[in-house]
Amino acid sequence: MLVDDERLDYLLAEDLRIIQSPSVFSFSLDAVLLARFAYVPLKRGTIVDLCTGNGAIPLFLSARTESRIIGVELQERLAHMARRSVEYNGLEQQIEIVEGDVKNMPAQLGFEKYDVVTCNPPYFPAHEMSDKNISEHMAIARHELHLTLDEAVLSASQLLKQGGKAAFVHRSGRLIDLIASMRANRLEPKRIRLVYPKAGKEANTLLIEGIKDGKPDLKILPPLIVYGDDGEYTEDVRELLYGSQ
């Protein structure tokens, strides 16, 4: 079942397992944050997760909802990892992994059909590829080589029904870009949460959710601090990762 340097890791809060690889792809804390932040219906509707990687967000979401979940991933190797994780956890009836380009998904999956879209897109412009030693898989996942922020937001909007919700995680420095792109594509920002590595530090991560054709009314949620002064995860982050103790 496992290939090369892959390993089977626990998702403790969900009591699930996921296939990861240090050289190909492993999900980050950002995936956990987005999966907890995004609104999801309890039973009805369909959720689409764009840039799904090894399927972490669909797996996280499966513990919060009975809705159908479609994960979209461009890279064949990552999509294969995601499918095997879905099968390992016996979630084939709920989660489907679609291999393909995010830009083509509205035409492939259907326009304005979906209730929720989540997306953890590549964060860095292609010209910022300073680390030439990272694998091709990681380069594509981290840098806008095949998908820009505007393209991701456009696809999310085209997939969503009117009144549907789109949630993104990104670098905090792209806040204005994200809001501008969302509004240009009929996604009205409704909730924002900033994530700080430590108290007293600048935010480095942004969570934002918008409603398609929603009315302007933005809620800025309390900040989330990742690490305490002792260098350990804060209680809030520990609960996100490991569940209530």
Side-chain angles (χ1 to χ4, degrees):
M1 178 184 172
L2 298 179
V3 179
D4 298 332
D5 63 355
E6 291 176 353
R7 64 179 188 266
L8 202 56
D9 287 347
Y10 280 102
L11 305 180
L12 294 174
E14 293 75 19
D15 193 26
L16 296 172
R17 304 291 292 273
I18 187 169
I19 295 169
Q20 307 231 81
S21 162
S23 64
V24 177
F25 189 89
S26 297
F27 74 86
S28 69
L29 178 62
D30 293 353
V32 182
L33 299 179
L34 179 60
R36 299 288 188 273
F37 172 79
Y39 161 84
V40 290
L42 291 177
K43 293 186 177 182
R44 297 180 179 176
T46 305
I47 301 162
V48 179
D49 179 52
L50 302 177
C51 310
T52 206
N54 63 343
I57 289 175
L59 291 174
F60 288 130
L61 292 178
S62 73
R64 295 183 55 204
T65 179
E66 296 176 17
S67 299
R68 180 166 171 252
I69 304 168
I70 300 171
V72 176
E73 175 52 45
L74 174 68
Q75 300 189 63
E76 179 182 6
R77 176 71 191 278
L78 274 61
H80 187 227
M81 291 169 68
R83 284 196 191 99
R84 284 180 287 137
S85 290
V86 169
E87 291 167 4
Y88 184 89
N89 291 288
L91 292 169
E92 299 97 321
Q93 298 303 310
Q94 183 180 13
I95 300 174
E96 176 187 1
I97 302 299
V98 175
E99 182 186 331
D101 193 320
V102 165
K103 298 188 290 293
N104 300 333
M105 284 304 119
Q108 183 172 334
L109 298 177
F111 288 88
E112 301 195 339
K113 287 180 56 177
Y114 300 94
D115 301 272
V116 176
V117 173
T118 55
C119 184
N120 180 3
Y123 288 156
F124 307 107
H127 66 263
E128 290 185 9
M129 282 189 61
S130 57
D131 186 354
K132 304 299 184 184
N133 296 318
I134 63 174
S135 72
E136 178 187 7
H137 300 289
M138 291 185 180
I140 291 171
R142 293 177 183 175
H143 296 82
E144 295 180 337
L145 297 171
H146 295 284
L147 183 72
T148 66
L149 177 57
D150 285 338
E151 289 167 342
V153 173
L154 172 62
S155 287
S157 178
Q158 290 176 334
L159 287 164
L160 281 175
K161 299 175 181 175
Q162 187 174 28
K165 296 185 177 182
F168 302 90
V169 60
H170 217 292
R171 301 291 89 183
S172 53
R174 301 294 297 276
L175 172 60
I176 303 303
D177 294 337
L178 248 174
I179 289 176
S181 186
M182 289 173 73
R183 279 194 151 172
N185 289 287
R186 300 169 56 195
L187 298 176
E188 182 61 32
K190 301 291 280 187
R191 293 195 300 139
I192 287 179
R193 191 174 197 186
L194 293 173
V195 183
Y196 298 79
K198 276 190 166 186
K201 299 290 187 181
E202 294 182 356
N204 61 359
T205 302
L206 159 74
L207 297 160
I208 188 168
E209 184 177 74
I211 294 180
K212 187 167 183 177
D213 297 328
K215 296 180 179 178
D217 180 25
L218 178 65
K219 291 181 172 61
I220 300 177
L221 304 182
L224 179 64
I225 312 298
V226 177
Y227 295 105
D229 292 336
D230 57 2
E232 300 293 328
Y233 285 131
T234 60
E235 186 175 337
D236 286 344
V237 172
R238 285 185 60 82
E239 186 168 335
L240 294 178
L241 285 169
Y242 309 125
S244 300
Q245 300 298 312

